[in-house]
Amino acid sequence: MAQLQERTAQLQQALACSKTLKRVIEKIDDNSSQIDIFQSIIQEIGHILNAEYCWISQYDTYKTTAIISCEYLSKDCSINTILNSQIDLANFPDFYQHLFNREYWEFPSAELLPAPYQSLLTPPQKMLICPIYDEQRVIGEVGILTSQNQLLCPPQPELISQVISHCAITLRQVNLDKVTHKYIGELELLNHLKDDFISSVSHELKAHLTNMKMAMEMLQHIVNSLKSTDLAIDGLKNRYLLWQKLEQYIQILQVEWQKEFNLISDLLNFQSEDIIYESLILIDLQ
């Protein structure tokens, strides 16, 4: 009978953890921060398990440092807070390698524990530490301290780990969607500016080409005139004027060619920078 009651209580705890997951996930929106969500979860789990003290520790990107970011204290808890404590993961390789493998610690021995956790553990208290992970890696751990004789049945540590990890994954997806929408907006603005730029450049390109064409036509006209000009005094005078105009139109061609070249160079540079920017966005989204 006692075993049946204990098993029933454990199943009720498991059901309550599942309901906690659903309730917390429903609260996640664009304004949710990871700390706020984790704090809500740890409060709920602390109540459900009748724990004395609970905490969540989060790792930095390179998994070198852990920071205790959230905690739950029962009404009668006499434990000194370890909130904001930092732990150098390299100093406790055996302890953290176990968590990196997504395995939980149930009743770990004090000598394995980081110093902040050792300060929490005093008999007859029991400790459970579970990994928190997203789709790619372990991102932290959740710890539960209780004075109960038997902490949890075997399925419950996995359930606790899954509850918090699922929330972390959901929150990461929400944040990723926010970043995606932001970059989509930036890309739309970039495309709009690009279209305006190309439209302006196309107009300038056509204008310079038109000027070059007119200059070439005038050059052809001058060449034909030079061929037909006689060597009389009036002809020599006209020939001198034609040579002046010839030099003038050659200069126009040179100026228009340089402007055309500069515009094409700017266009190619713009295309290159655009490709680099879009590549950086794709990297950020991964």
Side-chain angles (χ1 to χ4, degrees):
M1 185 66 178
Q3 289 181 345
L4 179 60
Q5 290 176 341
E6 182 181 351
R7 182 59 177 167
T8 300
Q10 291 169 346
L11 291 174
Q12 287 174 341
Q13 286 181 342
L15 180 60
C17 285
S18 298
K19 289 182 177 179
T20 295
L21 170 62
K22 183 176 183 296
R23 187 163 54 250
V24 173
I25 287 178
E26 287 173 350
K27 294 179 182 178
I28 296 177
D29 56 30
D30 290 347
N31 298 318
S32 301
S33 70
Q34 192 171 69
I35 296 243
D36 291 339
I37 294 300
F38 280 175
Q39 186 61 50
S40 296
I41 296 172
I42 205 69
Q43 290 291 129
E44 296 274 2
I45 289 178
H47 284 300
I48 291 168
L49 300 180
N50 194 27
E52 185 172 354
Y53 182 76
C54 303
W55 74 93
I56 287 180
S57 176
Q58 293 177 258
Y59 307 153
D60 64 356
T61 303
Y62 302 102
K63 291 200 291 191
T64 58
T65 304
I67 299 178
I68 289 82
S69 58
C70 306
E71 67 177 0
Y72 160 82
L73 295 89
S74 66
K75 292 180 179 179
D76 301 325
C77 181
S78 58
I79 293 174
N80 293 326
T81 178
I82 60 171
L83 189 65
N84 298 324
S85 297
Q86 294 191 18
I87 301 170
D88 186 351
L89 274 60
N91 292 335
F92 307 95
D94 294 336
F95 177 78
Y96 280 104
Q97 188 57 50
H98 197 71
L99 294 171
F100 292 162
N101 293 333
R102 302 194 178 190
E103 299 173 355
Y104 64 88
W105 284 106
E106 187 174 15
F107 313 148
S109 56
E111 59 269 16
L112 278 174
L113 296 173
Y117 300 168
Q118 291 180 15
S119 67
L120 299 173
L121 192 58
T122 55
Q125 292 169 331
K126 306 289 186 180
M127 184 177 288
L128 172 74
I129 301 175
C130 303
I132 304 171
Y133 46 84
D134 58 19
E135 305 98 321
Q136 301 171 348
R137 59 194 177 90
V138 177
I139 62 173
E141 69 222 27
V142 54
I144 300 167
L145 192 69
T146 181
S147 56
Q148 297 177 19
N149 292 329
Q150 184 176 1
L151 186 62
L152 297 167
C153 65
Q156 286 177 306
E158 288 91 344
L159 180 59
I160 292 169
S161 185
Q162 289 172 11
V163 164
I164 302 181
S165 298
H166 195 101
C167 286
I169 292 169
T170 303
L171 185 61
R172 182 176 182 273
Q173 187 60 50
V174 169
N175 291 334
L176 184 60
D177 289 343
K178 285 165 56 178
V179 172
T180 302
H181 289 315
K182 173 190 171 187
Y183 282 129
I184 287 174
E186 291 183 359
L187 283 174
E188 288 176 349
L189 176 60
L190 179 64
N191 287 332
H192 178 70
L193 294 174
K194 181 171 65 176
D195 291 343
D196 286 347
F197 175 79
I198 291 174
S199 177
S200 299
V201 169
S202 298
H203 177 75
E204 291 294 323
L205 287 171
K206 290 178 181 178
H208 295 315
L209 287 172
T210 300
N211 292 337
M212 291 170 69
K213 181 181 179 183
M214 291 176 60
M216 286 188 293
E217 289 176 350
M218 294 305 298
L219 283 173
Q220 185 62 52
H221 177 72
I222 290 171
V223 169
N224 293 337
S225 298
L226 285 170
K227 287 180 180 179
S228 61
T229 302
D230 55 27
L231 298 178
I233 293 177
D234 291 342
L236 290 174
K237 184 177 180 180
N238 289 337
R239 183 182 291 269
Y240 177 75
L241 293 174
L242 289 172
W243 277 112
Q244 281 186 321
K245 290 184 178 180
L246 184 66
E247 291 177 351
Q248 178 184 351
Y249 287 119
I250 288 175
Q251 187 176 10
I252 290 174
L253 270 176
Q254 289 174 336
V255 170
E256 294 298 324
W257 177 88
Q258 188 62 53
K259 290 180 179 179
E260 191 83 359
F261 178 81
N262 292 341
L263 277 173
I264 292 173
S265 297
D266 289 343
L267 185 61
L268 292 174
N269 289 336
F270 178 82
Q271 182 186 33
S272 176
E273 290 174 359
D274 187 28
I275 291 172
I276 292 172
Y277 179 76
E278 291 182 356
S279 299
L280 289 173
I281 287 177
L282 290 175
I283 291 172
D284 283 343
L285 293 177
Q286 290 176 351

